[in-house]
Amino acid sequence: MGTDYLLTGRSDRENLEAYRGRGGYEALERALAEASAEDLLRTVERSGLRGRGGAGFPAGRKWRLAAETQAPRRFVIANGGEHEPGSGKDRFLVAVHPHAVLEGALFACIATGADTAYVYLIEDMRPQIEAVEAAIGEAREAGLLETANRFAPKGFRILVHLAPPTYVAGEETAAIDAIEGGPGKPRSKPPLPGQAGLFGMPTTVSNVETLAHVAALMRMGVEAFRGIGTEESKGTMLFTLDESFVRPGIHERPFGTTWRELFDEAGGGLKDGGRVRAILPSQSSAWIDGSQLDTPIAYETLGPLGSGPGCGGVRVLREGEDPLPILVEIARFFHGSQCGQCPPCNMVTTQIRMVLEGLARGVRGDFLTAFDRLEAFAAGKGRCSLMRMDLAPTAGGVRLFRNDLGSPPGPEIPETPAEGGTPGVSL
């Protein structure tokens, strides 16, 4: 198994026979026969695997919290509720390699003491739904699920749950809310899902890519896995490159790959041969200046730049391209994605959009101070990270592109009617 181990080059669904042909489920069957839950927990902890949903939280710490919380039952949620603009890796992975996700979810069940896993998808993800349901049927027929074992006396259950097509429905507590029959809106924390999640029981919510990495990790062994990537960012990551590249689509690369290598070797460079002025690692990350093209992609290298890998839905700003329409687009997306539960979120996302739309119409003022105040106001507020996810690219963007924003306005961007506002923030 090489440094690229999640993707196989195929674009159609990998069935059980094909997955078994590359070693799929062998590690699971060994674990069912020989391993303990503690063995699996330690393997995930030692691997250094971090979640691939965007936050990069250590997977082993999340799993251990659920495993060590006393409760009569536990659950696992394989979160594939991808709605981040520019990212298609979860959809691709579930549609093409569903058995890798299922095997990883079963490992999570064993390690945390759960007997039921939910594959959480968005209701408009028809190819992914069909792929997972077919894979579950194959796994059941092969005796991988509803067969009594040391960890689940009645066997494992894997169920598919469909979420509403909203951005916030992909947040981990929103997934719990939706499975319980709610509208799919984030809940206050604490308690964390690992302490009291689905139906009040400890619940491990892991991104589907994270779980596919677990399946590969168990197959290759912890030392081989740790040999891929960097000191603090282990394994590979899936990146989505858009149509501005010669080879758009989903690309797997080890952590430590530079942006230049990702763009030129994987993406084939920009179609128009242009130069990269700035990089947005994902829509909820902060911009990175184009002078950092040779920076290795890793948590420990991007963190000091005020950014992070996010979920790998990469966007670039070319030399000569106006950044303001992009910032307005991002602000409008996040403003339209709020769920309505938290007044501060409405106020902050509204004000971000209003400031940027004002700049686009030619209004000039101290927009840097405005964003400083918005960041201070948002700190520690809200049931989820939506405000901070909005501020990362917009506040970072106005600072990075401040010279552009102080110049005469570009093309007219129509104003959107605003609701609410944030006290003390104005231009």
Side-chain angles (χ1 to χ4, degrees):
M1 183 179 295
T3 56
D4 293 355
Y5 50 78
L6 290 188
L7 305 186
T8 62
R10 67 189 301 153
S11 58
D12 59 327
R13 183 181 76 85
E14 182 181 41
N15 62 22
L16 179 60
E17 180 182 5
Y19 186 61
R20 280 193 178 279
R22 61 185 182 100
Y25 292 116
E26 289 179 4
L28 178 70
E29 290 172 333
R30 287 197 303 272
L32 288 171
E34 305 169 2
S36 68
E38 180 63 23
D39 290 336
L40 301 184
L41 281 172
R42 288 179 179 174
T43 296
V44 175
E45 288 174 331
R46 286 182 56 218
S47 73
L49 174 65
R50 301 173 73 149
R52 300 297 198 264
F57 191 80
R61 285 171 55 189
K62 179 180 282 192
W63 289 25
R64 186 167 289 281
L65 177 62
E68 295 186 345
T69 298
Q70 296 299 311
R73 288 196 72 187
R74 295 173 182 81
F75 296 94
V76 167
I77 299 175
N79 191 356
E82 181 174 61
H83 244 62
E84 176 114 347
S87 178
K89 53 98 175 178
D90 290 346
R91 290 173 182 260
F92 184 88
L93 194 61
V94 173
V96 178
H97 297 296
H99 279 289
V101 175
L102 297 187
E103 185 176 13
L106 290 171
F107 274 119
C109 285
I110 297 171
T112 62
D115 62 8
T116 301
Y118 289 84
V119 181
Y120 183 77
L121 302 174
I122 304 298
E123 61 188 25
D124 60 6
M125 298 170 67
R126 182 50 50 188
Q128 289 74 21
I129 296 166
E130 293 174 355
V132 165
E133 289 178 341
I136 291 172
E138 291 172 340
R140 183 179 294 116
E141 290 178 12
L144 293 166
L145 297 181
E146 294 167 354
T147 301
N149 59 74
R150 294 184 299 134
F151 302 98
K154 295 182 180 180
F156 297 108
R157 291 197 310 157
I158 297 185
L159 308 172
V160 177
H161 186 88
L162 305 184
T166 61
Y167 182 67
V168 295
E171 193 269 344
E172 61 179 4
T173 63
I176 291 167
D177 183 66
I179 294 172
E180 288 184 352
K185 294 185 177 183
R187 295 177 175 179
S188 297
K189 290 183 282 190
L192 297 171
Q195 299 168 313
L198 193 57
F199 310 119
M201 300 296 155
T203 303
T204 303
V205 186
S206 288
N207 175 261
V208 291
E209 184 190 341
T210 309
L211 295 173
H213 283 285
V214 169
L217 156 66
M218 297 298 181
R219 188 160 65 247
M220 71 171 70
V222 68
E223 295 307 323
F225 184 86
R226 285 186 58 82
I228 302 169
T230 67
E231 183 62 31
E232 297 179 26
S233 307
K234 300 299 184 182
T236 67
M237 181 172 173
L238 299 183
F239 297 91
T240 309
L241 299 184
D242 64 21
E243 294 296 327
S244 62
F245 290 90
V246 173
R247 290 190 292 271
I250 313 302
H251 298 274
E252 181 179 6
R253 287 295 183 272
F255 278 113
T257 299
T258 67
W259 293 109
R260 189 185 305 277
E261 290 166 341
L262 175 65
F263 296 160
D264 293 348
E265 296 175 11
L270 293 173
K271 284 180 178 177
D272 59 7
R275 298 180 60 185
V276 174
R277 179 185 174 190
I279 307 158
L280 191 62
S282 71
Q283 180 140 311
S284 53
S285 298
W287 290 89
I288 299 168
D289 189 76
S291 63
Q292 301 292 331
L293 272 174
D294 293 310
T295 299
I297 303 170
Y299 291 97
E300 67 268 35
T301 53
L302 301 184
L305 301 178
S307 189
C311 62
V314 184
R315 186 168 191 169
V316 297
L317 181 76
R318 301 175 187 82
E319 289 285 355
E321 186 177 7
D322 184 358
L324 187 51
I326 298 175
L327 298 182
V328 171
E329 173 193 327
I330 292 170
R332 287 177 174 175
F333 170 80
F334 282 112
H335 178 256
S337 296
Q338 57 176 313
C339 72
Q341 292 188 109
C342 306
C345 184
N346 175 57
M347 291 190 290
V348 169
T349 59
T350 298
Q351 194 69 33
I352 291 171
R353 197 208 69 215
M354 290 175 65
V355 170
L356 289 170
E357 287 184 340
L359 287 170
R361 293 193 308 275
V363 178
R364 292 294 176 260
D366 190 359
F367 53 84
L368 296 177
T369 297
F371 275 93
D372 289 341
R373 291 175 177 171
L374 285 168
E375 288 177 317
F377 180 81
K381 297 183 176 69
R383 294 189 175 191
C384 72
S385 301
L386 187 74
M387 284 184 286
R388 292 176 288 285
M389 293 164 75
D390 189 356
L391 282 161
T394 56
V398 297
R399 292 177 183 125
L400 181 61
F401 308 125
R402 58 187 176 275
N403 292 336
D404 298 70
L405 305 183
S407 60
E412 178 70 14
I413 297 178
E415 181 176 7
T416 304
E419 296 177 4
T422 305
V425 180
S426 61
L427 281 182

